[in-house]
Amino acid sequence: DTEVTQTPKHLVMGMTNKKSLKCEQHMGHRAMYWYKQKAKKPPELMFVYSYEKLSINESVPSRFSPECPNSSLLNLHLHALQPEDSALYLCASSHPAREGGNEQFFGPGTRLTVL
Amino acid sequence: SQKIEQNSEALNIQEGKTATLTCNYTNYSPAYLQWYRQDPGRGPVFLLLIRENEKEKRKERLKVTFDTTLKQSLFHITASQPADSATYLCVRSGSARQLTFGSGTQLTVLP
């Protein structure tokens, strides 16, 4: 199985809602990532988990809260978001053993709209 | 900071021709340069990776070069097809398991 799955595909939420994005992979990858992508822009790294521990947090606002319950799952908890947080949220995974030379496998993304 | 620049926002070519996309980087050479393809509303898909000590890498109709003197990578698609139309992302990677993305080049192959 060489696939990263993300749910839901689309999410519309109000600024007071709490929701979660989910990501799953079964490739045995021990590095997992969250990216945010705005239209016509490249992906921006948000968080990196390595062996289920948060290793990189790119100064992301606390209204985004990542969680890695096990080596196959990655969640992104959302609370009190702003309309400017509307974007495509991408999850990716990679083999951490190949430091730097690790192609990332991306999921299809969750299209988030904050009203 | 380490930057990656893709010179062209958009590139149109005729079917059957070779598409050449350019990626320039600043400061020190990255250990790796990677190329991804992204279709609208989808996640990027890995295409090729080239190491700092490699000059050229090929995969089917794709070729990537890495010139540390010019601080540049070129990505070629030979015998291009309309199905090759997409945004192509150049990415530098090194330690810390993170990638720095270029802004992308939107390629359109005209039939």
Side-chain angles (χ1 to χ4, degrees):
Chain A
D1 184 358
T2 58
E3 196 179 42
V4 175
T5 58
Q6 289 187 245
T7 55
K9 283 188 168 46
H10 301 274
L11 178 63
V12 179
M13 60 186 289
M15 289 190 285
T16 58
N17 292 157
K18 282 186 182 180
K19 296 286 184 184
S20 296
L21 309 185
K22 295 186 185 304
C23 173
E24 191 166 0
Q25 57 87 15
H26 295 286
M27 293 178 278
H29 291 167
R30 301 304 294 275
M32 296 186 78
Y33 311 73
W34 279 116
Y35 289 88
K36 172 183 176 180
Q37 187 175 27
K38 302 284 268 186
K40 299 196 182 299
K41 296 288 187 185
E44 298 173 37
L45 184 67
M46 300 175 72
F47 302 104
V48 180
Y49 273 84
S50 178
Y51 294 94
E52 296 88 70
K53 286 186 171 36
L54 184 64
S55 64
I56 294 175
N57 176 342
E58 293 287 6
S59 304
V60 179
S62 60
R63 57 185 184 268
F64 295 92
S65 174
E67 178 197 18
C68 189
N70 61 54
S71 59
S72 300
L73 293 174
L74 186 66
N75 298 322
L76 186 63
H77 303 297
L78 314 173
H79 174 54
L81 294 194
Q82 304 295 310
E84 58 265 28
D85 296 322
S86 298
L88 182 68
Y89 287 83
L90 293 163
C91 173
S93 71
S94 72
H95 201 318
R98 291 195 291 270
E99 189 76 27
N102 48 348
E103 65 265 32
Q104 296 198 346
F105 292 77
F106 285 84
T110 292
R111 174 70 61 191
L112 174 68
T113 303
V114 182
L115 300 175
Chain B
S1 63
Q2 309 307 318
K3 288 188 179 178
I4 281 281
E5 292 173 353
Q6 294 185 246
N7 293 1
S8 302
E9 279 193 18
L11 178 66
N12 294 341
I13 63 164
Q14 211 65 40
E15 183 176 5
K17 300 291 186 185
T18 296
T20 299
L21 285 63
T22 305
C23 174
N24 296 294
Y25 61 88
T26 60
N27 299 329
Y28 62 82
S29 287
Y32 308 90
L33 279 171
Q34 304 185 28
W35 286 86
Y36 288 76
R37 167 187 173 139
Q38 187 172 24
D39 292 285
R42 307 296 300 274
V45 175
F46 171 79
L47 296 174
L48 279 170
L49 175 150
I50 187 164
R51 293 175 172 75
E52 185 182 12
N53 60 358
E54 295 177 318
K55 296 278 189 215
E56 183 180 296
K57 207 77 167 288
R58 289 175 186 260
K59 178 181 173 185
E60 297 172 352
R61 295 185 295 113
L62 309 179
K63 183 176 86 170
V64 63
T65 62
F66 195 162
D67 189 326
T68 54
T69 303
L70 294 178
K71 295 192 175 182
Q72 184 179 83
S73 175
L74 297 179
F75 178 79
H76 306 273
I77 306 175
T78 57
S80 59
Q81 304 163 2
D84 295 325
S85 299
T87 295
Y88 290 84
L89 298 161
C90 174
V91 183
R92 68 181 295 158
S93 62
S95 63
R97 306 185 192 90
Q98 57 177 299
L99 312 182
T100 304
F101 285 79
S103 53
T105 296
Q106 187 173 343
L107 174 68
T108 302
V109 180
L110 303 166

